[in-house]
Amino acid sequence: MPRSDPEQPTESVTETSAEENASANGGRTRHSHTATLKRLEQSAGSLAASAIARMDETLPWYRAMPPENRSWIGLVAQAGIAAFTEWFRHPEAPQAISTDVFGTAPRELTRAITLRQTVEMVRTTIEVMESAIEEVAAPGDESVLREALLVYAREIAFATAQVYAQAAEARGAWDARLESLVVNAVLSGEADEGAVSRAAALGWNSPEHVCVVLGTAPDGDSELTVEAIRRAARHAKLQVLTGVLGARLVVIAGGSDNPLSVAKSLIGPYAAGPVVAGPVVPDLLAATKSAQAAAAGLKACTAWQDAPRPVLADDLLPERAIASDPAAREQLVEEIYRPLEEAGSALLETLSVYLEQASSLEGAARMLFVHPNTVRYRLRRVTDVTGWSPSDVRSAFTLRIALILGRLADGESPS
């Protein structure tokens, strides 16, 4: 009987094993589109030059950039075309496209050009490569090269988004740390030129009117609270530096000379409880004064059960003074007692008697041996001098505390 030839199956197995071994060694078998790959390698330089020329022709922002940044963009375009060539050579191998393409440029480039501009740059480069397919591809390989370019364009788009997302996360974490340092410096009374420089790096452009708003921070993610404050500030056209420090939500707001209006615009993200707005100051360095007044007001606000929400720190002067706030005591003496003292003893005496007589015009007139109209006139003068009306219950309380503190100050001073 004739023997079967064992050579043929052995040769087939050998060829298959060779292909498998080549695949196991990184998939570096002989490329089925060698001619197209060779043409692509030879055309890489001209394609990059055409892409850069197209950018210069169609992208105004590219023409306006400094030469250094333009050179980096040119390197990115060249790296993108080189990465496509390597990807076309080994499409089955995993590729770190973001490293291959964007690793040639410094990290600062993500600050120099926006995501939209990067997308335009990538689109222009892909369009140049797509328009050259007929010239670069070997006969019959046009559809293969076009399909590969479409897949690569998708990958490069995802890589672009990843690079900018990572840069944004890193920048956001750094900005949050800087902002926390500035807010803490203002609240602790340690604001200096360094804090001003950090605030400038965060986009703070030194508005003329600044105030600090304090309240209780809500439970949950503090980042969501901070973002809610930012949205409210954008809607109110205010600049803000904000942060959650312990249980307090602190907002340094600039751009308005009305602190009560500022507090009302930003009150939404605060938790239940008092919200206190400090007085307006001229700049960030002086914001410590506003922050200290707001903090003292927040501490003393429990003494005024019917306090509005939000409330001005200056409206809490009597409670702050009783709670041993030296700034409030000094303010009451200097802004109420001293002006009345300088205006003449008649105003001080009339106000004191009027308050002691339970705010009765007739009672005060009898005690002073004057006509009630005289008492009425003098009380109007008190309002003109101090800004506080003795006929208002809340103002009368503030005036009484100011009189007490003024007399104490006079009693403590040397004869």
Side-chain angles (χ1 to χ4, degrees), residues 37-68:
L37 182 60
K38 186 175 181 180
R39 288 187 177 191
L40 190 59
E41 291 172 343
Q42 293 172 347
S43 304
S46 61
L47 288 174
S50 299
I52 295 171
R54 179 78 65 86
M55 288 184 221
D56 189 66
E57 178 183 351
T58 61
L59 303 178
W61 58 265
Y62 176 78
R63 293 194 299 271
M65 295 190 78
E68 181 181 4

Side-chain angles (χ1 to χ4, degrees), residues 22-246:
S23 178
N25 291 329
R28 303 188 181 280
T29 58
R30 186 173 182 272
H31 203 279
S32 58
H33 306 286
T34 306
T36 299
L37 182 60
K38 186 175 181 180
R39 288 187 177 191
L40 190 59
E41 291 172 343
Q42 293 172 347
S43 304
S46 61
L47 288 174
S50 299
I52 295 171
R54 179 78 65 86
M55 288 184 221
D56 189 66
E57 178 183 351
T58 61
L59 303 178
W61 58 265
Y62 176 78
R63 293 194 299 271
M65 295 190 78
E68 181 181 4
N69 289 339
R70 293 179 62 178
S71 65
W72 283 121
I73 291 176
L75 288 178
V76 171
Q78 293 175 13
I81 295 173
F84 172 68
T85 303
E86 187 64 23
W87 184 84
F88 185 72
R89 186 196 309 275
H90 305 295
E92 74 287 347
Q95 300 290 326
I97 292 179
S98 61
T99 302
D100 293 342
V101 177
F102 297 103
T104 59
R107 184 176 297 179
E108 290 76 11
L109 191 63
T110 58
R111 290 182 179 267
I113 63 174
T114 64
L115 176 59
R116 179 185 61 80
Q117 292 170 340
T118 304
V119 170
E120 290 178 352
M121 176 188 71
V122 172
R123 181 188 291 119
T124 302
T125 305
I126 295 296
E127 287 175 352
V128 168
M129 296 176 67
E130 190 175 12
S131 63
I133 285 178
E134 301 296 333
E135 301 175 5
V136 174
D141 281 356
E142 292 85 358
S143 60
V144 174
L145 187 60
R146 182 174 287 106
E147 181 180 352
L149 184 60
L150 289 175
V151 175
Y152 180 77
R154 181 195 66 186
E155 297 299 324
I156 200 69
F158 284 123
T160 302
Q162 182 180 9
V163 167
Y164 273 84
Q166 291 173 346
E169 289 176 358
R171 187 162 56 247
W174 178 248
D175 287 352
R177 177 172 174 76
L178 274 184
E179 189 169 14
S180 177
L181 289 173
V182 174
V183 171
N184 186 65
V186 169
L187 203 61
S188 62
E190 299 175 355
D192 53 13
E193 291 297 334
V196 175
S197 298
R198 296 186 188 99
L202 294 168
W204 180 268
N205 62 7
S206 302
E208 294 182 358
H209 307 290
V210 179
C211 69
V212 177
V213 182
L214 285 182
T216 305
D219 296 331
D221 192 346
S222 60
E223 292 184 3
L224 296 179
T225 302
V226 168
E227 184 56 34
I229 289 288
R230 296 194 192 286
R231 286 196 302 270
R234 285 194 295 267
H235 185 266
K237 298 181 180 179
L238 298 170
Q239 294 186 57
V240 293
L241 297 168
T242 182
V244 177
L245 301 182

Side-chain angles (χ1 to χ4, degrees), residues 341-364:
E341 190 178 43
E342 294 171 0
S345 59
L347 293 187
L348 270 177
E349 183 184 15
T350 301
L351 176 61
S352 177
V353 171
Y354 175 76
L355 294 175
E356 290 173 0
Q357 294 298 316
S359 301
S360 169
L361 285 171
E362 290 75 11

